[in-house]
């Protein structure tokens, strides 16, 4: 059993003709969403397609996603890069010293992912083998898929762009960045780089970098960084993004599309909220303390960001005698006119968490009626 190499591969492509290039990252086993996005961007065989890693785990269609990606990769204009989740999947199933991590991993994740899927298919939950025996059985079942993953490159230099899953170190010889930096660097957008190329990354959901809940692509040409991870498989509120780069007579243009399968509702009357300061809870600062608890919302304090905000009670939970907010959260109370359309994130007792004009926030659920599905 041979895991992903510690000596990552680096590709270099030069295209002198006009081109259309589509970049998608962090699919995380959401094959239906991925196919819908390819359809929405009108992907064609002569487009360049770059999949920026993390197409496995955290979704319900991981193995089918691997097979679909393999099929796409038969096109010489498709390039699939290695992400930290592909590396971790291979290492956990290939290295004997990591066999003991499999049951820990299965307890930590929910009901999805390739390892859990095969664990059930092989009935290892009913008839477990030794730790090493379990590991070998799962590896053997996924041998072809892991062989494919193990040969994936870590970076792709394409004309004036450099594509990598997480980031690169501040060095001209980016190929000598550690594998950890390439696959799992934190906060690359804030750290920056010293290359002349524009570096395109996934890995960190773009909303983590913003003061509001916003999963759209960050295109910062001053920093020469583009971040495209829309949080699919990681955040309750997420989207799958596509960055579209077009070159026509060496003039570069950028476009973005996304898929966010949420039901559409319509307002039945005008709602006007009082002007307010809007707050956001996001990774990694989810721990809060409750100042005042009411029937729908609780006034909470978040120490690291020095924020007081009203959090919907359903978003609060206790672990190890500490109180946390469940996920990215905003206390934005929206003002919306009658007949306007909103995307429904969820219903929490008397209130609905919605998206309106790219703003996330709260309204009374009684003022909504079903319109259609997106």
């Amino acid at each position: 059993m041979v895991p992903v190499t510690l000596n990552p591969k680096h590709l270099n492509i030069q295209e002198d003709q006009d081109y259309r290039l589509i970049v998608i990252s962090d699919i995380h086993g959401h094959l239906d969403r991925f196919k819908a996005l390819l359809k929405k961007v009108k992907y064609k065989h002569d487009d360049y397609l770059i999949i920026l890693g993390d197409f496995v785990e955290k979704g319900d269609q991981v193995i089918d996603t691997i097979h679909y990606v393999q099929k796409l990769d038969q096109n010489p204009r498709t390039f699939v890069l290695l992400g930290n989740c592909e590396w971790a999947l291979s290492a956990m199933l290939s290295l004997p010293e990591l066999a003991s991590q499999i049951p820990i991993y299965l307890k930590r994740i929910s009901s999805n992912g390739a390892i859990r899927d095969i664990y059930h298919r092989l009935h290892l939950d009913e008839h477990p083998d030794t730790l090493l025996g379990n590991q070998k059985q799962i590896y053997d079942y996924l041998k072809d898929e892991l062989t494919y993953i193990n040969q994936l490159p870590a970076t792709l230099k394409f004309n004036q762009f450099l594509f990598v899953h997480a980031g690169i170190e501040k060095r001209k010889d980016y190929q000598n960045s550690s594998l950890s930096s390439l696959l799992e660097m934190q906060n690359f957008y804030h750290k920056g780089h010293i290359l002349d190329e524009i570096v395109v990354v996934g890995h960190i959901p773009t909303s983590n970098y913003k003061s509001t809940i916003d999963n759209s692509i960050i295109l910062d040409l001053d920093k020469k960084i583009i971040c495209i991870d829309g949080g699919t498989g990681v955040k309750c509120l997420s989207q799958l993004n596509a960055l579209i780069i077009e070159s026509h007579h060496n003039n570069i243009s950028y476009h973005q599309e996304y898929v966010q399968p949420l039901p559409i509702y319509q307002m039945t009357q005008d709602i006007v909220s009082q002007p307010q300061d809007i707050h956001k809870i996001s990774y990694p600062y989810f721990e809060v303390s409750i100042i005042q608890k009411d029937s729908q919302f609780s006034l909470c304090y978040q120490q690291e960001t020095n924020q007081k905000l009203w959090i919907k009670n359903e978003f609060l939970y206790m672990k190890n005698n500490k109180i946390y907010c469940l996920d990215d959260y905003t206390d934005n109370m929206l003002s919306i006119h009658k007949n306007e359309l909103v995307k429904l994130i969820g219903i929490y007792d008397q209130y609905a968490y919605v998206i309106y004009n790219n703003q996330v926030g709260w309204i009374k659920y009684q003022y909504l009626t079903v319109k259609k599905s997106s």
Side-chain angles (χ1 to χ4, degrees):
M1 296 188 289
V2 181
V4 170
T5 177
L6 294 178
N7 298 307
K9 294 192 297 184
H10 305 276
L11 302 183
N12 193 334
I13 302 294
Q14 184 67 38
E15 176 57 82
D16 298 323
Q17 304 298 316
D18 292 350
Y19 64 83
R20 182 173 185 257
L21 187 152
I22 301 164
V23 196
I24 300 173
S25 81
D26 297 85
I27 300 163
H28 284 304
H30 289 71
L31 181 57
D32 292 341
R33 193 178 289 200
F34 180 39
K35 287 181 176 180
L37 184 57
L38 290 177
K39 183 178 180 180
K40 190 171 185 180
V41 301
K42 299 179 180 178
Y43 166 66
K44 303 184 297 296
H45 192 265
D46 58 352
D47 292 328
Y48 283 99
L49 175 63
I50 299 174
I51 298 172
L52 215 53
D54 274 14
F55 51 90
V56 304
E57 296 310 273
K58 302 178 182 177
D60 294 326
Q61 302 168 292
V62 173
I63 297 173
D64 288 341
T65 300
I66 297 173
H67 295 162
Y68 190 73
V69 167
Q70 286 180 281
K71 184 177 179 180
L72 290 172
D73 205 4
Q74 295 174 6
N75 183 343
R77 287 186 170 231
T78 295
F79 297 91
V80 182
L81 302 188
L82 184 68
N84 60 293
C85 285
E86 286 79 38
W87 186 91
L89 178 66
S90 176
M92 194 179 302
L93 296 178
S94 304
L95 300 174
E97 59 268 29
L98 295 183
S100 61
Q101 295 300 308
I102 293 176
I104 298 172
Y105 175 74
L106 293 174
K107 287 181 180 179
R108 192 174 71 244
I109 67 168
S110 58
S111 60
N112 50 27
I115 293 179
R116 183 176 291 281
D117 186 0
I118 304 308
Y119 201 82
H120 288 324
R121 291 189 193 186
L122 297 177
H123 304 289
L124 296 176
D125 45 350
E126 302 170 15
H127 309 288
D129 201 339
T130 64
L131 292 175
L132 286 173
N134 287 344
Q135 183 191 51
K136 185 178 186 307
Q137 287 193 61
I138 300 171
Y139 176 90
D140 289 343
Y141 194 101
L142 290 174
K143 185 175 181 179
D144 292 342
E145 291 81 1
L146 293 172
T147 299
Y148 171 72
I149 286 171
N150 290 342
Q151 55 80 44
L152 294 177
T155 70
L156 167 66
K157 186 179 180 302
F158 184 101
N159 291 7
Q160 68 267 52
F161 300 97
L162 178 66
F163 299 94
V164 61
H165 179 66
I168 54 170
E169 296 166 5
K170 287 187 176 180
R171 53 195 303 166
K172 288 291 186 179
D173 58 338
Y174 67 87
Q175 300 92 334
N176 290 320
S177 296
S178 66
L179 186 63
S180 176
S181 295
L182 298 171
L183 301 188
E184 54 187 6
M185 179 181 285
Q186 299 296 306
N187 299 318
F188 173 67
Y189 178 64
H190 290 150
K191 293 176 180 177
H193 64 90
I194 61 172
L195 297 184
D196 295 327
E197 288 81 9
I198 296 171
V199 182
V200 183
V201 298
H203 186 55
I204 300 295
T206 59
S207 185
N208 286 10
Y209 293 123
K210 301 176 183 180
S211 59
T212 59
I213 298 178
D214 177 5
N215 297 293
S216 60
I217 288 172
I218 297 173
L219 198 154
D220 193 330
L221 298 184
D222 291 331
K223 283 190 173 184
K224 296 183 178 178
I225 293 178
I226 303 176
C227 305
I228 71 169
D229 180 7
T232 291
V234 177
K235 295 182 178 292
C236 294
L237 175 58
S238 67
Q239 61 195 48
L240 188 62
N241 292 324
L243 169 68
I244 304 164
I245 303 173
E246 295 188 76
S247 176
H248 184 65
H249 299 314
N250 292 320
N251 293 316
I252 301 294
S253 62
Y254 303 92
H255 312 278
Q256 55 180 296
E257 286 286 358
Y258 68 91
V259 169
Q260 187 181 57
L262 294 172
I264 305 297
Y265 280 64
Q266 188 173 32
M267 296 296 298
T268 59
Q269 69 177 63
D270 291 343
I271 298 295
V272 179
S273 297
Q274 296 299 316
Q276 59 178 330
D277 292 330
I278 299 173
H279 306 93
K280 177 193 174 188
I281 295 283
S282 64
Y283 178 86
Y285 303 122
F286 291 124
E287 184 180 348
V288 298
S289 57
I290 296 178
I291 300 171
Q292 175 186 334
K293 187 165 186 176
D294 287 350
S295 60
Q296 295 291 322
F297 295 84
S298 293
L299 180 62
C300 299
Y301 177 66
Q302 207 298 309
Q303 184 174 3
E304 287 83 359
T305 57
N306 192 30
Q307 294 185 101
K308 290 182 180 179
L309 71 165
W310 290 92
I311 298 179
K312 195 72 178 70
N313 290 332
E314 291 88 341
F315 274 71
L316 298 171
Y317 71 98
M318 181 173 287
K319 182 178 180 180
N320 297 328
N321 295 318
K322 294 182 179 180
I323 299 171
Y324 296 90
C325 183
L326 182 64
D327 194 26
D328 285 4
Y329 179 88
T330 181
D331 60 356
N332 187 17
M333 303 302 291
L334 294 168
S335 296
I336 310 176
H337 292 300
K338 182 180 179 179
N339 295 325
E340 294 280 6
L341 301 181
V342 301
K343 288 184 175 182
L344 179 67
I345 303 167
I347 301 167
Y348 301 89
D349 198 359
Q350 298 177 23
Y351 285 80
Y353 205 30
V354 302
I355 303 173
Y356 170 67
N357 284 346
N358 295 320
Q359 293 185 72
V360 177
W362 296 93
I363 57 172
K364 284 284 189 72
Y365 175 62
Q366 69 188 71
Y367 303 130
L368 291 179
T369 186
V370 176
K371 179 65 177 179
K372 61 179 179 179
S373 296
S374 60

